[in-house]
Amino acid sequence: IIFPHGGAFGVRDTPDFNRDVQFLADRGYAVLQPNYRGSSSYGEAFHLAGEGEIGRKMQDDLDDGMDWLVEQGIADRTRVCIYGASYGGYAAIWGLIRNPERYRCGISYDDDFDLDAVSPAETIERLQRPLLVGQGKRDRVVPEAQFDLLVKRAEKADIKLETKLYANDGHDLVIRKNQQDWYKTLESFLRKYNPAF
């Protein structure tokens, strides 16, 4: 599983505990948390290398991470999914649309960014792989309107998405019942489209 962090800028992944990573690893998945260009704490040049590269070179960095996993014998090129939240959720959807040959499936909790050339909503008709999208109705970072737009455009293009909308939760799932439901949904989706064993 390629698991890009949110942000996209001013954030980075560290070796700290991450419940999503632990959940996936417990179910037999190797998980890569790439710190793509623009991630924080790698110096100004690395940060600046991300400017204007959402959906472009930042996405290339995720693909390069996948290639590295394959070269190391850690991952099978035909069995890689991409999963993320916030910007990582955008990167998951865009990865499926931009490079359907790379990813077997994708999972997004939140969808955002409106740049037409790299917008999932504007290019949804190119989606060829299974996609699960989750959204908190009370999300103040990624408005529900973006989720609704993606779903509406998918329906118009006759593209089937699997979706989950949590009426009483926000950008990060904080309600335990919702967390449990999301992980059950995630596990079922992965078991169906990219089983670990």
Side-chain angles (χ1 to χ4, degrees):
I1 306 287
I2 306 298
F3 186 56
H5 62 73
F9 298 94
V11 181
R12 72 180 174 125
D13 275 319
T14 62
D16 297 338
F17 176 84
N18 181 295
R19 70 179 185 222
D20 291 282
V21 173
Q22 294 306 311
F23 177 85
L24 293 166
D26 180 66
R27 276 131 184 96
Y29 293 95
V31 182
L32 178 67
Q33 295 176 270
N35 283 315
Y36 45 81
R37 69 192 71 211
S39 299
S40 66
S41 300
Y42 291 98
E44 185 177 3
F46 192 77
H47 176 79
L48 293 175
E51 286 190 4
E53 298 302 336
I54 288 174
R56 297 176 178 94
K57 288 183 181 174
M58 289 168 115
Q59 204 76 29
D60 293 343
D61 293 344
L62 306 182
D63 295 343
D64 290 346
M66 176 191 160
D67 291 341
W68 180 83
L69 288 173
V70 171
E71 288 166 12
Q72 299 303 308
I74 297 168
D76 174 346
R77 182 174 297 284
T78 65
R79 300 186 64 231
V80 178
C81 285
I82 185 167
Y83 168 38
S86 196
Y87 170 79
Y90 158 80
I93 297 172
W94 186 239
L96 288 184
I97 292 172
R98 179 183 188 239
N99 300 105
E101 75 286 355
R102 282 189 163 271
Y103 300 104
R104 196 168 180 177
C105 63
I107 304 106
S108 170
Y109 184 75
D110 302 313
D111 169 42
D112 58 2
F113 298 95
D114 287 324
L115 303 168
D116 286 352
V118 291
S119 166
E122 295 297 325
T123 56
I124 195 69
E125 72 280 352
R126 292 171 33 199
L127 183 68
Q128 302 172 23
R129 301 285 190 211
L131 174 62
L132 168 63
V133 182
Q135 173 76 30
K137 198 168 180 65
R138 296 181 179 176
D139 193 332
R140 292 183 179 164
V141 177
V142 181
E144 183 190 357
Q146 291 183 4
F147 172 84
D148 292 342
L149 177 64
L150 184 73
V151 170
K152 186 178 182 183
R153 296 273 172 90
E155 287 171 356
K156 186 176 179 184
D158 200 26
I159 301 286
K160 184 177 180 330
L161 303 178
E162 294 190 31
T163 60
K164 272 296 209 184
L165 182 62
Y166 295 96
N168 60 346
D169 227 325
H171 190 64
D172 297 312
L173 292 179
V174 295
I175 298 171
R176 174 82 45 165
K177 185 175 80 171
N178 293 343
Q179 291 171 355
Q180 291 170 338
D181 180 74
W182 174 249
Y183 286 127
K184 274 198 248 178
T185 303
L186 174 61
E187 184 172 25
S188 174
F189 180 84
L190 286 171
R191 192 180 298 125
K192 182 176 179 181
Y193 296 110
N194 194 36
F197 302 105

